Amino acid sequence: MDTIILPVALATTAACALLNLWLAIRVGQVRLSERILIGDGGNDRLIARMRAQANFVEYAPFVLILIALVELATGTAPWLWIVAGLFVLGRILHPIGMDRGWAPGRPIGTALTFLILIGLAGYAASIPFFSFGAVESVEVVSGS
């Protein structure tokens, strides 16, 4: 098998796609049970689930882009797998907490997301400045 490019980014993006689908299904379940087809109908449970999904959509793209670019710039590393796993875990805990299924889930999920976003952004921003001339251009060649 050929070498997989950006395996951390690939696996994390796949997990996030499934997570977004799960969040959408949860919204749909409340819509069906409460017969609310448009808007939120003032239903607190639906509002919480809609916000949980919107919150995911607000943060996941930035984290996924940062994971991919850091992995592309520095290579695949065990710490990046751990960060990606913690991000996915945090994004699962957050909506559970929003549903009041496990109250600490929301603040833990939020904290993990913020710390990971800040950490990856800081690390990514530092790469071009601290590479000390080791930056090489990459030639992209299409495979046949």
Side-chain angles (χ1 to χ4, degrees):
M1 181 174 181
D2 293 331
T3 302
I4 297 173
I5 299 172
L6 306 177
V8 178
L10 183 63
T12 309
T13 303
C16 285
L18 294 174
L19 183 50
N20 190 50
L21 180 61
W22 172 65
L23 292 167
I25 290 168
R26 289 165 37 90
V27 170
Q29 288 172 333
V30 175
R31 284 191 180 284
L32 288 174
S33 70
E34 300 295 326
R35 296 189 171 112
I36 303 169
L37 299 180
I38 298 174
D40 59 36
N43 183 295
D44 289 339
R45 189 165 166 233
L46 180 56
I47 292 168
R49 287 194 175 186
M50 289 171 65
R51 279 303 312 144
Q53 185 182 23
N55 185 274
F56 176 80
V57 172
E58 291 164 2
Y59 289 100
F62 291 103
V63 171
L64 293 172
I65 290 167
L66 284 165
I67 287 171
L69 292 176
V70 165
E71 187 174 20
L72 184 62
T74 64
T76 304
W79 71 266
L80 198 55
W81 283 106
I82 293 167
V83 167
L86 287 172
F87 175 70
V88 172
L89 175 64
R91 298 321 306 173
I92 292 169
L93 291 176
H94 181 266
I96 292 171
M98 290 283 289
D99 258 1
R100 294 175 181 84
W102 187 58
R106 183 179 182 194
I108 291 170
T110 300
L112 279 172
T113 299
F114 284 8
L115 290 171
I116 288 166
L117 186 60
I118 291 166
L120 285 172
Y123 185 70
S126 74
I127 292 170
F129 297 105
F130 296 108
S131 61
F132 302 109
V135 176
E136 298 177 22
S137 61
V138 176
E139 182 180 342
V140 177
V141 179
S142 63
S144 35

